Amino acid sequence: MPRLRTVLLAFLVVFILPLVAHAAWWFAQDRPRSWSQANWSSAGLLPSPAVKRDAVLHVYAARVGWWRGIFAHHTWIVIKDRDAPRYTRFDKVGWGSPVRTDNWAPDGRWFGQVPELVAAIEGPEAEALLPRVRAAVADYPYRDYGQYQAWPGPNSNTFVAHVLAAIPQAGITLPPTALGKDYRTDGKMVGLTPTRTGVQLELAGLLGVTLGWIEGLEVNVLGAVAGLDWRRPAIKLPGFGRIGLPQWPEIGRAAAQGAPR
């Protein structure tokens, strides 16, 4: 019994209390009440392609709308070939044809929320990765009508995690609040992490443990993730997400380079 009480107390402190606290903060904010009221325009994070001539591979995340924003981010991928006249954005959504290309501005707000830059690779390194990104988008297995499930997946974050798993050398991992990222598209309960720097045990995105050099330690309970990042020191809490150093070493410099002058 003492062990059971200890486990229940740990679950309360690590999972329940952060979600309750984040819910209280979330509902205290002034947010759009409907899809049509939300601002979906560019947040001005990316310069004109005429200015940014290098190849680009960016990953963005923004809180989803309504009460679901307590728990989750929506993520997407933006790419551009060297000297290309435009950026290309890839998302997966829960209505119509799931996998979308360029339905919104590459750096557009999501339900009015300004996106966060999760990772940025540019120049020759990005150029070498783009063919694999396009191939992974094309072979995503849950791309047909009806093959979207907000919880536990496959959803928008499952799609982005699938693409990132095709470029493990990029070393990109999604935020802990990217609910659905742990829904494995290979159907395996045990396998390598998306960056191939560790191992992952997952049960349909509902329960699991991830342990890797880049992913850190993550415990998934019904899609809520808690854990630690030892490479870029931080704690991971349900609702709040990552608290500590930025998860991408170049994120500050990349954001500064991407901001309009």
Side-chain angles (χ1 to χ4, degrees), residues 34-75:
S34 69
W35 177 279
S36 60
Q37 291 178 354
N39 183 353
W40 300 87
S41 66
S42 168
L45 302 180
L46 283 167
S48 164
V51 175
K52 177 66 82 174
R53 297 185 58 189
D54 285 345
V56 166
L57 168 57
H58 286 189
V59 179
Y60 290 94
R63 289 278 176 178
V64 299
W66 305 307
W67 60 268
R68 295 179 301 162
I70 297 169
F71 306 96
H73 278 81
H74 169 78
T75 60

Side-chain angles (χ1 to χ4, degrees), residues 25-236:
W25 175 84
W26 182 259
F27 285 122
Q29 310 303 307
D30 182 20
R31 303 190 185 280
R33 295 183 179 274
S34 69
W35 177 279
S36 60
Q37 291 178 354
N39 183 353
W40 300 87
S41 66
S42 168
L45 302 180
L46 283 167
S48 164
V51 175
K52 177 66 82 174
R53 297 185 58 189
D54 285 345
V56 166
L57 168 57
H58 286 189
V59 179
Y60 290 94
R63 289 278 176 178
V64 299
W66 305 307
W67 60 268
R68 295 179 301 162
I70 297 169
F71 306 96
H73 278 81
H74 169 78
T75 60
W76 65 92
I77 295 173
V78 173
I79 64 172
K80 184 181 79 68
D81 290 306
R82 176 173 172 79
D83 293 327
R86 60 195 299 275
Y87 297 98
T88 299
R89 171 173 169 166
F90 298 116
D91 295 74
K92 184 182 179 181
V93 295
W95 60 94
S97 180
V99 177
R100 303 292 183 91
T101 302
D102 294 334
N103 266 55
W104 299 273
D107 55 356
R109 296 169 176 83
W110 191 257
F111 276 96
Q113 309 298 314
V114 174
E116 305 166 21
L117 181 63
V118 174
I121 300 176
E122 299 177 357
E125 185 180 358
E127 198 168 4
L129 296 172
L130 296 191
R132 293 190 180 186
V133 169
R134 290 189 173 96
V137 170
D139 70 16
Y140 177 65
Y142 303 107
R143 60 183 306 111
D144 295 331
Y145 287 90
Q147 291 187 313
Y148 178 96
Q149 188 168 296
W151 177 85
N155 60 20
S156 62
N157 300 316
T158 310
F159 166 69
V160 174
H162 169 83
V163 175
L164 296 181
I167 50 169
Q169 64 270 45
I172 301 174
T173 183
L174 292 178
T177 45
L179 192 154
K181 70 182 180 65
D182 295 326
Y183 188 101
R184 295 183 64 97
T185 57
D186 61 8
K188 297 178 180 178
M189 288 183 59
V190 181
L192 295 177
T193 62
T195 64
R196 298 184 188 174
T197 63
V199 294
Q200 184 178 56
L201 170 64
E202 279 296 329
L203 179 60
L206 289 168
L207 295 169
V209 176
T210 298
L211 185 65
W213 171 239
I214 294 178
E215 287 84 1
L217 169 65
E218 294 187 348
V219 178
N220 172 10
V221 177
L222 302 180
V225 170
L228 298 170
D229 185 343
W230 38 66
R231 189 176 67 106
R232 304 282 299 171
I235 61 172
K236 304 175 184 183

